[in-house]
Amino acid sequence: MSKRPYVICLMMTSLDGKILGEKWGKDDRVQLLTKSFEEAHDAIGMKAWIVGRATMEKDFTKFARPVYKEGALQINRADFIATREAKSFAIAIDGNAKLGWESSIMLGDHVISILTEAVEDSYLAHLQEVGVSYIFAGATTVNLQMALEKLKTLFGIETLMLEGGGRINGSFLNEGLIDEFNQLLLPLADGRVETSSVFEIAEKDRKLDATLFKLESMKQIENDVIWLKYKTIERV
């Protein structure tokens, strides 16, 4: 039995593999296409989803600044589990504590923040006050394997939906932590050189040349969107 959750990466992309939907404008036809993402998320039915700090602050916390509780005492670096009884979880990888949380609930899901031990006590004190769970996964940089093992052990998360951005997806891929990839291929092209793609790995951090996948299913859904499902088979 695996020590970590089964990880499914779900992303919507343009035909050229770009992922930042806000760059595609406000045209009603584009907005209709991007709705396929939430529909696919709901169809897969995940109990827990995880994103990187940049995606969380852009799409969910709306760039809220971190809050520090005044007069906070020294806090040991033990994981803080506000609840184990939540039906679903929204998880953020935020090693440097840059996210501002005003509530422990995001879209109806209990928030878990993945941190490093380098964060300030006053930040931890605020998370405890508002009821945000947090786990530590490294001294100064996040160890993804450790984080995933804790999510399974402490919260009973057996399956996890990874939803970007490109650097976080790339980090999971680089560490061999993606078991399945679901791609919603939208019938539009981005064409921007600077737009992020699905997986991004800095060359200095690269541990492999490529990851091989096997196509499990392919279907056309509404509005000419193609849903591709792959299983990871080998790293080379």
Side-chain angles (χ1 to χ4, degrees):
M1 179 182 294
S2 177
K3 294 181 179 179
R4 64 168 177 84
Y6 182 86
V7 176
I8 301 172
C9 182
L10 170 66
M11 298 297 294
M12 68 175 181
T13 79
S14 62
L15 295 176
D16 48 340
K18 304 299 185 177
I19 62 173
L20 298 181
E22 70 273 9
K23 291 182 177 291
W24 303 334
K26 300 294 185 181
D27 187 280
D28 289 343
R29 292 166 293 182
V30 172
Q31 299 304 305
L32 192 62
L33 291 175
T34 59
K35 286 182 179 179
S36 61
F37 182 85
E38 291 303 329
E39 293 169 359
H41 178 101
D42 293 342
I44 296 173
M46 286 294 94
K47 177 183 178 182
W49 54 278
I50 186 168
V51 296
R53 186 269 306 168
T55 297
M56 183 63 80
E57 69 178 2
K58 174 174 64 70
D59 294 339
F60 300 103
T61 64
K62 306 304 179 185
F63 297 96
R65 298 183 64 81
V67 178
Y68 302 95
K69 183 175 174 60
E70 294 184 7
L73 302 175
Q74 185 174 355
I75 297 176
N76 64 28
R77 293 308 184 254
D79 302 318
F80 176 71
I81 296 88
T83 179
R84 288 186 173 88
E85 307 304 320
K87 294 182 179 180
S88 55
F89 300 93
I91 306 162
I93 301 172
D94 187 24
N96 296 317
K98 294 184 177 181
L99 292 171
W101 295 105
E102 299 174 355
S103 168
S104 63
I105 303 297
M106 172 62 64
L107 301 177
D109 306 324
H110 177 67
V111 175
I112 304 172
S113 185
I114 298 174
L115 305 170
T116 65
E117 296 175 7
V119 303
E120 296 185 30
D121 293 331
S122 55
Y123 183 80
L124 300 176
H126 171 72
L127 294 188
Q128 291 187 13
E129 186 173 74
V130 298
V132 169
S133 294
Y134 58 79
I135 59 175
F136 295 102
T140 58
T141 59
V142 170
N143 181 315
L144 291 175
Q145 178 72 38
M146 180 190 300
L148 293 186
E149 290 181 7
K150 285 189 173 187
L151 290 175
K152 183 171 183 177
T153 301
L154 299 176
F155 298 94
I157 296 173
E158 297 286 344
T159 308
L160 182 63
M161 182 79 79
L162 171 64
E163 299 180 341
R167 284 179 292 179
I168 289 299
N169 291 346
S171 295
F172 271 73
L173 187 73
N174 201 36
E175 298 294 334
L177 297 174
I178 294 178
D179 303 294
E180 180 181 316
F181 176 50
N182 284 248
Q183 180 181 14
L184 300 174
L185 191 60
L186 309 187
L188 58 81
D190 181 305
R192 296 174 180 83
V193 174
E194 70 277 7
T195 306
S196 296
S197 57
V198 178
F199 300 109
E200 297 188 339
I201 305 170
E203 202 58 39
K204 65 180 179 62
D205 299 324
R206 181 177 294 277
K207 295 185 177 181
L208 67 159
D209 289 326
T211 300
L212 302 180
F213 294 86
K214 182 181 186 300
L215 181 64
E216 293 284 309
S217 64
M218 175 176 61
K219 62 181 178 180
Q220 181 176 338
I221 58 178
E222 290 185 333
N223 304 306
D224 293 324
V225 174
I226 302 298
W227 186 343
L228 302 165
K229 177 181 176 181
Y230 297 89
K231 290 290 184 67
T232 308
I233 57 172
E234 189 178 358
R235 303 166 73 206
V236 296

